C-alpha cells in the first residue's frame, strides 16, 4: 500500500495543475471527516487502497506524493455534503434582518457560507429543527432549500479555490509527516441521505481504536 505523506500544492496553482495534468495522478474522494484527520486509509476511484498521513486539512484539488520525486501522485476530491440554503434573491430585508439571522445561527454554532445571494449552513440537524431556527428571522420573500455542496465552502480563508474552497498556497516547501501507516484508520458508512457518516476505526490488527 502506497502512503502519501507529502503535500505538493493545489491545482488552483497553475504550476501544480500543469504537473498534475502531465502525471495523470490517481484520485481519492474523501469525506468531511477523513479530510480533517492526520492519517487514514482510503480507496482511490480506481479501486487501489492508499494511506494518507498528513498534518493538514485536505481540500479539493490538493496534490499529494509519497515524497519520492519519481513516485506516484494522488489528487484529492471531496465528497459533497448536504447544506441548508437560505435564498435571499427575492427577499425584502435590511441589516437588522441579516444580523438576526447570523445571531440565530451563531447561537447554534453552525458554520456559514455566502454564495451569491444565498446563505448556506451545513445540514447537521433535521430539516424541521434547522427550519425552526432560521424561519423566524427570514424576511418576506426568502426561501429555504437543500443542496449538495463541497464541504470546503465552509472553510475559513480569504480566497476561493476548487469547489468554492480556500486553498493553502504556502510555497515555503513541502509538508511532510513520515509516521508509519500502522495507525491508519479505514472505513465509513453513509446514512440514508448520503451525508452523515458513522465511522469505524481499526488499527493494523483489526482492533477498534481511536485517532491518535
Amino acid at each position: 500500500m502506497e502512503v502519501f505523506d507529502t503535500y505538493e500544492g493545489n491545482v488552483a496553482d497553475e504550476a501544480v495543475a500543469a504537473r498534475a495534468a502531465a502525471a495523470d495522478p490517481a484520485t481519492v474522494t474523501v469525506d468531511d471527516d477523513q479530510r480533517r484527520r492526520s492519517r487514514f486509509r482510503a480507496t482511490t476511484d480506481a479501486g487501489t487502497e492508499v494511506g494518507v498521513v498528513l498534518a493538514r486539512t485536505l481540500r479539493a484539488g490538493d496534490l499529494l506524493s509519497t515524497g519520492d520525486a519519481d513516485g506516484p501522485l494522488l489528487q484529492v476530491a471531496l465528497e459533497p455534503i448536504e447544506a441548508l440554503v437560505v435564498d435571499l434573491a427575492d427577499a425584502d430585508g435590511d441589516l437588522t434582518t441579516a444580523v438576526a439571522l447570523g445571531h440565530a445561527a451563531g447561537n447554534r454554532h453552525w458554520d456559514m457560507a455566502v454564495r451569491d445571494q444565498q446563505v448556506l449552513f451545513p445540514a447537521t440537524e433535521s430539516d424541521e429543527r434547522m427550519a425552526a431556527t432560521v424561519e423566524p428571522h427570514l424576511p418576506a420573500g426568502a426561501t429555504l432549500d437543500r443542496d449538495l455542496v463541497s464541504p470546503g465552502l465552509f472553510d475559513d480563508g480569504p480566497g476561493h479555490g476548487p469547489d468554492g474552497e480556500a486553498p493553502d498556497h504556502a510555497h515555503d516547501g513541502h509538508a511532510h509527516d513520515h509516521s508509519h501507516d500502522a495507525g491508519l484508520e479505514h472505513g465509513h458508512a453513509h446514512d440514508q441521505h448520503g451525508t452523515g457518516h458513522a465511522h469505524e476505526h481499526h488499527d493494523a490488527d483489526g482492533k477498534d481504536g481511536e485517532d491518535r
Side-chain angles (χ1 to χ4, degrees):
M1 180 182 70
E2 298 279 6
V3 176
F4 293 82
D5 59 8
T6 303
Y7 175 73
E8 299 290 346
N10 190 283
V11 296
D13 184 306
E14 291 184 2
V16 178
R19 182 182 177 189
D24 189 24
T27 299
V28 62
T29 301
V30 301
D31 63 41
D32 194 36
D33 180 75
Q34 284 175 312
R35 77 186 187 103
R36 301 177 189 279
R37 298 185 193 171
S38 62
R39 61 182 66 196
F40 60 87
R41 290 181 183 179
T43 303
T44 69
D45 293 358
T48 302
E49 187 175 45
V50 296
V52 175
V53 181
L54 208 64
R56 64 184 296 123
T57 296
L58 295 174
R59 304 175 187 273
D62 279 352
L63 194 66
L64 312 180
S65 76
T66 61
D68 183 348
D70 298 320
L73 296 175
L74 183 69
Q75 186 167 326
V76 175
L78 299 184
E79 183 178 297
I81 62 172
E82 193 172 17
L84 176 70
V85 181
V86 181
D87 194 332
L88 301 172
D90 299 318
D92 300 326
D94 53 22
L95 181 59
T96 302
T97 300
V99 170
L101 180 59
H103 181 70
N107 281 341
R108 302 304 293 270
H109 302 287
W110 291 349
D111 289 335
M112 183 178 73
V114 176
R115 182 179 66 185
D116 298 327
Q117 293 179 285
Q118 298 175 330
V119 180
L120 295 88
F121 305 100
T124 56
E125 302 179 30
S126 68
D127 288 354
E128 293 77 11
R129 286 178 61 88
M130 295 191 75
T133 298
V134 301
E135 282 180 341
H137 308 286
L138 296 183
T143 60
L144 294 180
D145 199 359
R146 291 234 171 178
D147 192 11
L148 290 176
V149 301
S150 168
L153 189 68
F154 301 98
D155 288 346
D156 293 331
H160 293 84
D163 296 328
E165 294 197 36
D168 184 343
H169 290 293
H171 298 289
D172 57 350
H174 302 307
H176 301 267
D177 187 335
H178 295 289
S179 304
H180 298 296
D181 65 347
L184 298 176
E185 295 93 2
H186 183 55
H188 64 274
H190 304 280
D191 67 10
Q192 61 181 339
H193 300 293
T195 55
H197 302 88
H199 296 267
E200 294 181 0
H201 306 300
H202 303 284
D203 61 20
D205 298 323
K207 298 176 181 179
D208 291 341
E210 296 178 3
D211 291 351
R212 296 177 175 83

